[in-house]
Amino acid sequence: MGTAESMLKSYPKDIGHTDIALLASCIEACIDCAQTCTACADACLGEDTAADLAACIGTDLNCADLCSATARILSRQTGNNTMLTQAVLNACVTACQQCGDECARHSHHEHCRICAQACRTCEQACRDVLDTVR
Amino acid sequence: MGTAESMLKSYPKDIGHTDIALLASCIEACIDCAQTCTACADACLGEDTAADLAACIGTDLNCADLCSATARILSRQTGNNTMLTQAVLNACVTACQQCGDECARHSHHEHCRICAQACRTCEQACRDVLDTVR
Amino acid sequence: MGTAESMLKSYPKDIGHTDIALLASCIEACIDCAQTCTACADACLGEDTAADLAACIGTDLNCADLCSATARILSRQTGNNTMLTQAVLNACVTACQQCGDECARHSHHEHCRICAQACRTCEQACRDVLDTVR
Amino acid sequence: MGTAESMLKSYPKDIGHTDIALLASCIEACIDCAQTCTACADACLGEDTAADLAACIGTDLNCADLCSATARILSRQTGNNTMLTQAVLNACVTACQQCGDECARHSHHEHCRICAQACRTCEQACRDVLDTVR
């Protein structure tokens, strides 16, 4: 368990009617998904069949980059903006959905099975926060 | 001038009806905007009035993170996906617009003036690519 | 608890005499520290005394960027290289030490207190891995 | 040509005896190398022989992450610290050297040939800055 929630609680100004526990969960899901996707791309590269997993590696890398950016943006309350939060969460949902679907197709590889799960968790966490900012 | 265009041209498979020059321009605009926003946040921090620039620093940091992620995703053709390209470009347009507006308000600071311009250029480059993937 | 350890275990090739539990701990410490530093920079920006915390914000941002890069590099076994692992861990130790010291000076701010702790934990985790790759 | 130099010149405080043109060159080389390595990893993935290029893809990804972090850290003057600058430049030199060597082995692929060159340029730019901060 990371420090996302205690850090949000220590923010010195009022952060409105934000559901802090939900937001913290989403930040943790994003950074966990980013790490898992980075490791999954690498494990796919280590397979003898890496060439067949090229699309999976590509979606892993995209998902890692978007989850990392989303985690950082959600971690910032200063200069926060609802439109940007929505847009980045929408993009993150798309990346997680695409990567989760792709990895699920290769779930006989343990790394893809775990990664598909991390993507589903992150996708849902992003949707949950999106529901509160709409 | 970076190598984005020559790298896209060296991609070994067909990348469809993509306008390579336009895509390369957008990648370069994103990495330039990311660097400028990172430096602008830092220059704002160096001002004696940093506290008054807090929102500007926050939008700079968000814009830098999103532009970096967008540049990386646009640089990848393997496992490429139109829905993700659109979603991340939409988020990048939003970040650049917000940061361009915020920096334009402080354009008496040379760093904010240059940064507003980099954001406008990047916003337009993202819109131009969006027009071709719709 | 993230998935770093199970992902390392699912890597399809032999990863030598690496202490997987130690390496996984270090990856988790890096991504936790990166998130905490990102949030601490933001919380410092939210303080009325943000201008006095400018150096702290700068070290937070540097530490976040280096911890993120370190987590990604440590997550990759393919094309792994001892010299790079050592060099990036050394840089990460330096960033965490500097940020931990700076935040400790402002530990009356809850966010700086938590962040100093995350930096110390990450610094130690990097040193522990360094001891095994020397 | 990016805005790194004009942004450094707009920094409101004295940044010591830093050679601004040299530092700006290094920042630009880092972001160019990061983009080129990201694209090279992707182009390698697009080759039918992707499995044989696994180590090259891994070093590309590591080099991209370290160059991105280095560009950001060099872009910040607030809370700047010589020890961190040296450590991150050393790590970046190592990453660029390793990736340049690996890509040079595959220079019959145009993307690897261009990438090897970007790595050499970035490695040298980092060494040039290192010479001034020692």
Side-chain angles (χ1 to χ4, degrees):
Chain A
M1 173 62 195
T3 63
E5 187 166 350
S6 49
M7 288 306 284
L8 285 171
K9 283 180 180 161
S10 73
Y11 187 77
K13 291 203 170 67
D14 183 29
I15 52 173
H17 46 76
T18 308
D19 184 329
I20 285 183
L22 208 67
L23 183 56
S25 265
C26 185
I27 293 170
E28 306 265 4
C30 284
I31 60 177
D32 185 56
C33 190
Q35 195 278 323
T36 309
C37 287
T38 301
C40 185
D42 182 67
C44 287
L45 273 176
E47 299 284 352
D48 295 331
T49 57
D52 301 330
L53 294 165
C56 189
I57 296 168
T59 55
D60 273 333
L61 296 175
N62 284 342
C63 195
D65 285 334
L66 205 36
C67 286
S68 293
T70 304
R72 283 172 167 238
I73 290 169
L74 293 181
S75 297
R76 294 189 190 109
Q77 310 308 313
T78 311
N80 196 2
N81 175 289
T82 304
M83 265 185 70
L84 178 63
T85 305
Q86 289 177 328
V88 77
L89 282 169
N90 275 325
C92 199
V93 162
T94 305
C96 288
Q97 198 167 25
Q98 186 189 347
C99 191
D101 288 353
E102 183 63 41
C103 277
R105 252 174 252 142
H106 314 286
S107 58
H108 49 286
H109 293 306
E110 177 72 355
H111 46 84
C112 285
R113 195 190 59 73
I114 299 170
C115 192
Q117 211 167 5
C119 290
R120 299 303 186 211
T121 301
C122 188
E123 180 191 339
Q124 190 55 53
C126 289
R127 287 191 194 281
D128 290 346
V129 175
L130 263 176
D131 283 343
T132 69
V133 290
R134 253 162 201 154
Chain B
M1 171 61 194
T3 63
E5 187 165 349
S6 51
M7 288 305 286
L8 285 170
K9 283 179 180 160
S10 74
Y11 188 78
K13 293 203 168 66
D14 183 29
I15 53 172
H17 47 77
T18 307
D19 184 329
I20 284 183
L22 207 66
L23 183 57
S25 265
C26 186
I27 293 169
E28 306 265 5
C30 284
I31 61 177
D32 185 54
C33 190
Q35 196 278 322
T36 309
C37 286
T38 301
C40 186
D42 182 66
C44 286
L45 273 176
E47 299 284 353
D48 295 330
T49 56
D52 301 329
L53 294 165
C56 189
I57 297 168
T59 55
D60 274 333
L61 296 175
N62 284 342
C63 194
D65 286 334
L66 206 36
C67 287
S68 294
T70 303
R72 284 172 167 235
I73 290 169
L74 293 180
S75 296
R76 294 188 191 110
Q77 310 308 314
T78 311
N80 197 2
N81 176 289
T82 304
M83 265 185 71
L84 179 62
T85 304
Q86 290 177 328
V88 77
L89 282 169
N90 276 323
C92 199
V93 163
T94 306
C96 289
Q97 199 166 23
Q98 186 190 348
C99 190
D101 288 351
E102 183 64 39
C103 277
R105 252 174 254 141
H106 314 285
S107 57
H108 49 287
H109 294 306
E110 177 74 355
H111 46 84
C112 285
R113 196 191 58 74
I114 299 170
C115 191
Q117 210 167 3
C119 290
R120 300 300 186 214
T121 302
C122 188
E123 180 191 339
Q124 191 54 54
C126 289
R127 288 191 193 281
D128 291 346
V129 175
L130 262 175
D131 282 344
T132 70
V133 290
R134 253 161 200 154
Chain C
M1 171 61 195
T3 63
E5 186 165 350
S6 49
M7 288 306 284
L8 285 171
K9 284 179 179 160
S10 73
Y11 188 77
K13 292 203 169 67
D14 183 28
I15 52 174
H17 46 77
T18 308
D19 184 329
I20 285 183
L22 207 66
L23 182 57
S25 264
C26 185
I27 294 169
E28 306 265 3
C30 284
I31 60 176
D32 185 55
C33 190
Q35 196 277 322
T36 308
C37 286
T38 301
C40 185
D42 182 65
C44 286
L45 273 177
E47 299 284 352
D48 294 331
T49 56
D52 302 329
L53 294 165
C56 188
I57 297 169
T59 54
D60 273 334
L61 296 174
N62 283 343
C63 194
D65 285 334
L66 204 36
C67 286
S68 293
T70 304
R72 283 172 167 237
I73 290 170
L74 294 181
S75 297
R76 293 189 190 111
Q77 311 308 315
T78 310
N80 197 2
N81 175 288
T82 303
M83 265 185 69
L84 179 63
T85 304
Q86 288 177 328
V88 77
L89 282 169
N90 276 324
C92 199
V93 162
T94 306
C96 288
Q97 199 166 25
Q98 185 189 349
C99 191
D101 288 352
E102 182 64 39
C103 277
R105 251 174 254 144
H106 315 284
S107 57
H108 50 285
H109 293 307
E110 177 73 355
H111 45 86
C112 285
R113 195 190 59 73
I114 300 171
C115 192
Q117 210 168 4
C119 290
R120 299 300 186 212
T121 302
C122 188
E123 181 192 339
Q124 190 55 53
C126 289
R127 288 191 194 281
D128 291 345
V129 175
L130 263 176
D131 283 342
T132 70
V133 290
R134 253 162 201 156
Chain D
M1 171 61 195
T3 63
E5 187 165 349
S6 50
M7 288 306 284
L8 285 171
K9 283 179 180 161
S10 74
Y11 187 76
K13 292 202 169 67
D14 182 29
I15 52 174
H17 46 77
T18 307
D19 183 329
I20 284 183
L22 207 68
L23 182 56
S25 264
C26 186
I27 293 170
E28 305 265 4
C30 284
I31 61 177
D32 186 55
C33 190
Q35 196 277 323
T36 309
C37 286
T38 301
C40 185
D42 183 65
C44 286
L45 273 176
E47 299 284 352
D48 295 332
T49 56
D52 301 328
L53 295 165
C56 188
I57 297 168
T59 54
D60 274 334
L61 297 175
N62 283 343
C63 195
D65 286 333
L66 205 36
C67 287
S68 294
T70 304
R72 285 172 166 236
I73 290 169
L74 294 181
S75 297
R76 292 189 191 111
Q77 311 309 315
T78 311
N80 198 2
N81 175 289
T82 304
M83 266 185 69
L84 179 63
T85 304
Q86 289 177 328
V88 77
L89 282 169
N90 276 323
C92 199
V93 163
T94 306
C96 288
Q97 198 167 22
Q98 185 189 349
C99 191
D101 288 352
E102 183 64 39
C103 276
R105 252 174 252 142
H106 315 285
S107 58
H108 50 285
H109 294 306
E110 176 73 355
H111 44 87
C112 285
R113 194 190 59 72
I114 299 170
C115 192
Q117 211 167 3
C119 290
R120 300 302 187 212
T121 303
C122 188
E123 181 191 339
Q124 191 54 54
C126 289
R127 288 191 194 280
D128 291 345
V129 175
L130 263 176
D131 283 343
T132 70
V133 290
R134 253 163 201 155

